[in-house]
Amino acid sequence: MKVVFRFLFLTFLCSLAAGQVVAQERASPVSIGQTFTLSSATLGESRRINVYLPPVYADSATVRLPVLYMPDGGLAEDFLHVAGLLQVLTGNGSIRPFILVGIENTARRRDMTGPTTNAEDRKIAPKVGGSAAFRQFIRAELMPAIRQRYRTTAETAIVGESLAGLFVVETLVQEPNLFDTYLAFDPSLWWNNGKLASEADSRLHSYAGPAKTLYVAFSSDVLGETSTHRFNQALQHAATGNFIWYHKDMPEETHATIYHPAALQAFRTVFKPKASSSK
């Protein structure tokens, strides 16, 4: 009888412990935004889009906000830390609120690069040189989808680092009217023997269109590169007035560490709240 009782008692304790484990495992997901899939005829594939909406968006049924687009925008890429940075800086009043649109990669090196004549460049991926198609996807498919889904203003910006930074600079040089503000950190200007830096010199110098802003930052890993020097010279020759640029050398950072500290400074500089007019 004692053996049976002990068995039943142990069974009860085990079931109770199992119930506690099950209870402890139950958790609610943490949500910082929204995600949806967009089918692209331009790219011939579906792309996952991640969106961060600042609190002010939910607090008002009528507010419209500018949009910051971000390549490398997957949850396992740069979306989370950039969304967190926007959340903090908006919350403490350092910047204006923005909707963040992260574009998750499928073939990053294809989408972020333009054509190249350098054989070494073509070794980095089975296919490169797809930046024009990726830009077409953003312009003709993604931007209209964002305007349809969310309450946006006409103001747009784009941010990227490394090859995504190359795409940001290439877009500014080749299609400056696609965005209002361009943020590039350690852009891979060495691509195609640094041709983009040379192209930037003539195009930025002669730019006379609507006002555009560029913020570019370089880490210790690229400060000595010829292409970086040539691009910095291009900025020195750039037209003033309609083209505003900020240049930041960050020798204390490496290519692996520059994104977050550079984004912090860039957002504070180019997205700062607009001064209210005094009566």
Side-chain angles (χ1 to χ4, degrees):
M1 188 67 180
K2 289 182 179 180
V3 173
V4 174
F5 175 77
R6 181 176 297 176
F7 174 77
L8 293 175
F9 182 69
L10 289 175
T11 302
F12 170 75
L13 290 179
C14 290
S15 64
L16 181 61
Q20 290 177 339
V21 170
V22 171
Q24 291 174 352
E25 289 178 349
R26 292 172 183 165
S28 300
V30 175
S31 176
I32 67 163
Q34 301 177 358
T35 186
F36 66 92
T37 300
L38 182 62
S39 179
S40 171
T42 301
L43 300 176
E45 62 186 16
S46 293
R47 301 302 292 264
R48 181 167 295 281
I49 308 301
N50 300 306
V51 181
Y52 167 72
L53 299 169
V56 67
Y57 188 89
D59 293 342
S60 170
T62 59
V63 68
R64 292 184 174 274
L65 298 176
V67 183
L68 173 60
Y69 290 87
M70 184 180 67
D72 293 337
L75 295 180
E77 298 164 339
D78 293 313
F79 180 79
L80 291 177
H81 80 86
V82 173
L85 194 56
L86 289 176
Q87 181 186 44
V88 171
L89 293 177
T90 301
N92 62 30
S94 296
I95 67 170
R96 296 178 286 126
F98 273 74
I99 296 171
L100 177 65
V101 175
I103 310 166
E104 195 163 310
N105 287 314
T106 56
R108 180 177 188 264
R109 293 176 176 179
R110 174 200 68 193
D111 293 340
M112 301 296 119
T113 59
T116 181
T117 60
N118 187 310
E120 291 300 312
D121 290 351
R122 292 195 292 270
K123 292 179 180 179
I124 71 169
K127 184 176 181 181
V128 296
S131 59
F134 188 60
R135 199 158 30 248
Q136 169 70 7
F137 160 70
I138 293 174
R139 181 198 323 108
E141 298 175 324
L142 179 57
M143 284 181 160
I146 295 300
R147 289 193 294 266
Q148 182 180 27
R149 285 173 172 267
Y150 304 101
R151 302 186 304 273
T152 67
T153 66
E155 181 183 357
T156 58
I158 184 170
V159 61
E161 183 261 352
S162 193
L163 284 177
L166 174 71
F167 178 79
V168 170
V169 174
E170 183 191 89
T171 301
L172 170 65
V173 172
Q174 297 185 3
E175 194 175 341
N177 288 329
L178 189 56
F179 299 96
D180 300 299
T181 301
Y182 296 79
L183 307 156
F185 313 134
D186 261 11
S188 302
L189 297 173
W190 47 264
W191 183 258
N192 193 22
N193 303 308
K195 184 178 179 181
L196 186 61
S198 300
E199 188 179 348
D201 197 358
S202 60
R203 294 218 183 184
L204 297 182
H205 180 69
S206 61
Y207 180 74
K212 302 296 172 184
T213 299
L214 167 69
Y215 189 107
V216 62
F218 298 99
S219 76
S220 59
D221 289 335
V222 302
L223 282 175
E225 291 184 357
T226 301
S227 57
T228 300
H229 178 68
R230 287 163 60 188
F231 186 70
N232 288 340
Q233 287 184 317
L235 293 180
Q236 294 293 335
H237 298 158
T240 57
N242 287 353
F243 179 65
I244 302 169
W245 58 270
Y246 302 88
H247 168 266
K248 180 71 174 178
D249 287 341
M250 304 184 74
E252 70 281 8
E253 304 297 341
T254 67
H255 192 66
T257 66
I258 190 172
Y259 202 141
H260 200 82
L264 173 65
Q265 296 188 42
F267 292 170
R268 282 175 167 171
T269 300
V270 302
F271 296 153
K272 59 186 176 182
K274 296 177 180 178
S276 57
S277 58
S278 57
K279 296 183 180 179

